[in-house]
């Protein structure tokens, strides 16, 4: 079993920044591909960013590229999502997820992920 706990959400004005964290249980965190997803009210859960096991390969949704950055610290069993220049349309519940499979690039479909956190709310006011 893998437990994921997100933190760092909150309320911020447009143009501001937030840094989300996701702490994972277990001693094999370095073997997981990690992803961040978000879900706004009435919308489907969508991929935001992903990072491969070693942290060297990262991929992003087009809507956040250049504004968001994903990183991981395997020594701390933690993955981060730095969100800059936030827009009202970034408002959503943000989830981290773990894919236990070895992949070349993080998958963008939620169905590919094995474990999920409970989510953290990020609200961007205009």
């Amino acid at each position: 079993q893998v437990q994921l706990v997100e933190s760092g959400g909150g309320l911020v004005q447009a143009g501001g920044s937030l840094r989300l964290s996701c702490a994972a249980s277990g001693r094999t965190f370095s073997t997981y591909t990690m992803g961040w997803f978000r879900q706004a009210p009435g919308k489907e859960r969508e991929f935001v960013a992903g990072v491969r096991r070693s942290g060297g390969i990262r991929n992003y949704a087009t809507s956040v590229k250049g504004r968001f950055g994903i990183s991981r610290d395997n020594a701390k069993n933690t993955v981060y999502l730095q969100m800059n220049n936030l827009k009202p349309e970034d408002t959503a519940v943000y989830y981290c997820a773990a894919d236990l499979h070895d992949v070349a690039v993080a998958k963008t479909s939620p169905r590919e992920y094995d474990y999920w956190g409970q989510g953290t709310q990020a609200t961007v006011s205009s």
Side-chain angles (χ1 to χ4, degrees):
Q1 284 286 338
V2 177
Q3 291 186 328
L4 303 173
V5 180
E6 301 98 334
S7 60
L11 173 64
V12 64
Q13 289 187 331
S17 298
L18 285 173
R19 189 192 193 205
L20 306 184
S21 299
C22 172
S25 65
R27 292 180 289 180
T28 57
F29 174 76
S30 62
T31 67
Y32 312 153
T33 297
M34 297 299 297
W36 283 99
F37 290 77
R38 66 186 181 187
Q39 189 165 18
K43 295 189 176 181
E44 293 187 351
R45 191 167 297 190
E46 64 174 0
F47 174 80
V48 175
V51 58
R52 204 184 171 195
R53 293 176 167 186
S54 65
I57 304 298
R58 310 171 191 184
N59 53 319
Y60 299 93
T62 301
S63 60
V64 307
K65 199 171 294 183
R67 300 188 298 123
F68 290 13
I70 188 171
S71 61
R72 65 190 298 163
D73 185 338
N74 287 340
K76 295 183 178 180
N77 281 14
T78 302
V79 62
Y80 304 97
L81 185 68
Q82 178 67 44
M83 306 190 295
N84 299 324
N85 190 21
L86 283 160
K87 305 175 181 181
E89 52 264 41
D90 295 317
T91 295
V93 177
Y94 283 74
Y95 299 89
C96 70
D99 177 359
L100 304 188
H101 301 90
D102 186 14
V103 296
V105 178
K107 302 296 185 181
T108 60
S109 170
R111 289 173 290 184
E112 299 287 348
Y113 289 77
D114 302 291
Y115 294 97
W116 292 84
Q118 82 290 348
T120 185
Q121 176 72 45
T123 303
V124 185
S125 62
S126 57

